[in-house]
C-alpha cells in the first residue's frame, strides 16, 4: 500500500513538475511583420517583444508606448513619433527613421546598426549601451542634447560624445 502511494506521488511530481512555466505578466508577442501601418496610432500601448519587421510605419504614432524587446528590423518609420517610448533591448536595425521623433525615448541596449537618422529629433533620448556604429554616433552627437526624464541620463553621455 505504502509503495503504491509513494509511486503515485512520484508520478504526480514528475508530471506536474515537468510542466513548462508560463509567463503571466504579459501576453505572447504580436506580429505586424510586412504590414502596412502608415499613420497607425499605437500611442501608450504595451507592445513588448512585438514584431514589426519589414513593415511600413510611416507617420505612425508610438508615443509613450512600451516597446521593450520589439523587433523593427528593415522597416520604414519616416516621420514616426516615438516620443517617450521605451525601446530598451529593441532591434531597430536597418530602419529608416528620417524625420522621426525620438525625444524622451529610452533606447538602452537597443540594436540600431544601419538605421537612418536623417533629421531625427533625439532631445532627451537615452542611448546607454545601444549598439551603433561610429558614423551613427558622430551624426547623433552633432544634435544630442538634454537629459532623459525617465532615466536621468544625459543624451550626449549615453552616446559617448566628446
Amino acid at each position: 500500500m505504502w509503495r503504491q502511494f509513494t509511486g503515485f506521488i512520484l508520478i504526480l511530481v514528475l508530471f506536474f513538475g515537468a510542466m513548462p512555466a508560463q509567463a503571466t505578466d504579459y501576453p505572447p508577442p504580436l506580429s505586424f511583420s510586412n504590414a502596412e501601418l502608415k499613420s497607425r496610432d499605437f500611442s501608450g500601448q504595451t507592445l513588448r517583444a512585438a514584431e514589426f519587421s519589414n513593415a511600413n510605419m510611416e507617420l505612425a504614432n508610438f508615443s509613450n508606448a512600451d516597446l521593450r524587446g520589439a523587433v523593427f528590423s528593415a522597416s520604414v518609420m519616416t516621420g514616426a513619433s516615438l516620443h517617450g517610448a521605451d525601446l530598451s533591448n529593441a532591434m531597430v536595425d536597418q530602419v529608416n527613421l528620417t524625420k522621426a521623433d525620438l525625444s524622451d525615448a529610452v533606447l538602452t541596449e537597443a540594436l540600431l546598426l544601419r538605421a537612418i537618422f536623417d533629421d531625427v529629433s533625439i532631445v532627451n533620448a537615452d542611448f546607454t549601451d545601444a549598439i551603433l556604429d561610429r558614423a551613427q554616433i558622430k551624426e547623433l552627437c552633432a544634435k544630442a542634447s538634454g537629459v532623459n526624464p525617465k532615466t536621468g541620463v544625459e543624451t550626449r553621455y549615453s552616446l559617448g560624445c566628446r
Side-chain angles (χ1 to χ4, degrees):
M1 173 85 171
W2 178 250
R3 249 185 220 175
Q4 290 175 334
F5 180 74
T6 306
F8 178 72
I9 296 298
L10 180 61
I11 289 171
L12 285 176
V13 169
L14 290 173
F15 180 76
F16 288 108
M19 301 280 288
Q22 295 182 350
T24 56
D25 46 337
Y26 61 95
L30 300 172
S31 180
F32 298 96
S33 292
N34 303 305
E36 177 61 49
L37 302 169
K38 186 176 181 178
S39 301
R40 286 277 301 267
D41 186 6
F42 293 98
S43 60
Q45 293 186 32
T46 298
L47 298 163
R48 285 186 260 177
E51 188 169 332
F52 295 92
S53 298
N54 300 303
N56 179 11
M57 295 169 283
E58 182 180 358
L59 302 171
N61 184 1
F62 288 95
S63 297
N64 301 305
D66 182 353
L67 299 164
R68 290 176 284 174
V71 178
F72 291 93
S73 300
S75 293
V76 175
M77 297 185 81
T78 55
S81 176
L82 293 152
H83 174 86
D86 189 344
L87 292 139
S88 299
N89 300 300
M91 292 183 65
V92 193
D93 56 308
Q94 303 178 56
V95 175
N96 185 345
L97 291 162
T98 300
K99 296 185 179 179
D101 179 7
L102 291 170
S103 60
D104 296 336
V106 177
L107 297 120
T108 57
E109 299 182 8
L111 176 65
L112 298 160
L113 292 174
R114 297 181 59 200
I116 300 169
F117 292 106
D118 296 341
D119 298 318
V120 69
S121 173
I122 61 165
V123 175
N124 302 333
D126 183 354
F127 291 90
T128 301
D129 296 325
I131 301 172
L132 296 146
D133 64 37
R134 288 184 186 179
Q136 289 173 307
I137 293 170
K138 184 178 179 180
E139 177 186 2
L140 293 172
C141 283
K143 57 182 116 195
S145 66
V147 176
N148 187 277
K150 294 176 189 159
T151 64
V153 176
E154 290 182 31
T155 301
R156 293 186 59 77
Y157 180 81
S158 72
L159 286 164
C161 302
R162 296 179 186 174

